[in-house]
């Protein structure tokens, strides 16, 4: 291996100050006497300065909510949750079509009965939440306010509202959500995530104690209903 090749192989460590004192001095001495290596080293310095000027990468403003939602979805990804979400989608998309078909009345009745049987058979009771208690002893989450920059009036429209199931913890903050109807494009999800991140709810209560609960939010370009 030639001296120039050995010196050039140490450029990265030399720039990072990872060489020993003797090796640093050898590289410095060689750069003073070898124009070719000095020109090559100048390019390394230029790249390092350019990368340094870029600064650290900034995290997206909604990263915290996305991470929290992703973790919550993984924790709550159970057969019961999947069955419940499938039931909601079926009720909003398939059932209306079947009920409107003149020749499909018998099929609609059969499917409704089948879904009801599946839900009652396989959906195990949840831990105590607001909706498990008799009326008067429990309450559902209630939307209070949001400090987000996103305007709720900009989400959805009269002809195609966005309906969201928001899971609210005992502190009144959203820890997961699911769009059950309406647009689900990236822009709509980004607006929803920013809004929900800064939203505060009155938590659900059972016998006066705050618990987790489900809030249904509807965005129709006018207001938010909880």
């Amino acid at each position: 291996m030639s001296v120039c090749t050995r010196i050039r192989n140490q450029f990265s460590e030399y720039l990072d100050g990872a060489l020993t004192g003797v090796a640093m001095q050898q590289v410095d001495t060689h750069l003073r006497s070898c124009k070719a290596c000095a020109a090559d080293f100048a390019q390394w310095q230029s790249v390092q300065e350019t990368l340094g000027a870029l600064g650290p990468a900034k995290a997206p403003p909604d990263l915290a909510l996305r991470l929290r939602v992703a973790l919550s979805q993984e924790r709550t990804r159970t057969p019961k949750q999947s069955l419940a979400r499938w039931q909601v989608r079926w009720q909003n998309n398939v059932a209306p079509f079947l009920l409107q078909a003149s020749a499909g009345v018998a099929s609609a009745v059969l499917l409704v009965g089948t879904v009801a049987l599946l839900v009652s058979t396989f959906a195990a009771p949840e831990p105590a939440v607001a909706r498990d208690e008799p009326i008067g002893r429990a309450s559902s989450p209630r939307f209070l306010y949001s400090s987000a920059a996103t305007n709720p009036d900009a989400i959805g429209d009269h002809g195609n509202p966005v309906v969201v199931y928001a899971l609210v913890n005992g502190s009144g903050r959203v820890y997961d959500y699911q769009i059950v109807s309406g647009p689900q494009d990236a822009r709509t999800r980004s607006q929803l995530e920013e809004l929900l991140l800064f939203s505060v709810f009155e938590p659900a209560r059972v016998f006066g104690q705050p618990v987790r609960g489900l809030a249904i939010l509807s965005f129709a370009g006018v207001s938010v209903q909880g």
Side-chain angles (χ1 to χ4, degrees), residues 205-224:
R205 294 182 182 275
V206 174
F207 295 107
Q209 297 300 316
V211 296
R212 292 178 302 159
L214 174 67
I216 302 177
L217 306 178
S218 177
F219 300 86
V222 176
S223 61
V224 178

Side-chain angles (χ1 to χ4, degrees), residues 166-214:
L167 299 179
V168 181
N169 61 23
S171 300
R173 305 308 292 258
V174 175
Y175 67 90
D176 197 1
Y177 77 97
Q178 177 71 34
I179 300 177
V180 295
S181 67
Q184 300 193 31
D185 55 277
R187 180 173 179 273
T188 299
R189 286 187 173 276
S190 177
Q191 291 175 324
L192 283 173
E193 289 172 0
E194 181 180 356
L195 180 68
L196 295 176
L197 175 63
F198 295 99
S199 293
V200 178
F201 289 75
E202 172 66 28
R205 294 182 182 275
V206 174
F207 295 107
Q209 297 300 316
V211 296
R212 292 178 302 159
L214 174 67

Side-chain angles (χ1 to χ4, degrees), residues 62-77 175-177 193:
D62 58 348
L63 178 61
L65 178 61
R66 290 185 179 182
L67 291 175
R68 188 164 57 186
V69 167
L71 291 174
S72 299
Q73 288 176 339
E74 289 300 321
R75 287 196 300 265
T76 59
R77 198 180 298 277
Y175 67 90
D176 197 1
Y177 77 97
E193 289 172 0

Side-chain angles (χ1 to χ4, degrees), residues 6-7 9-28:
R6 180 173 59 83
I7 294 298
N9 288 340
Q10 299 180 84
F11 279 173
S12 179
E13 291 84 356
Y14 181 74
L15 286 170
D16 295 336
L19 296 177
T20 63
V22 174
M24 293 280 285
Q25 185 176 10
Q26 290 176 348
V27 173
D28 182 67

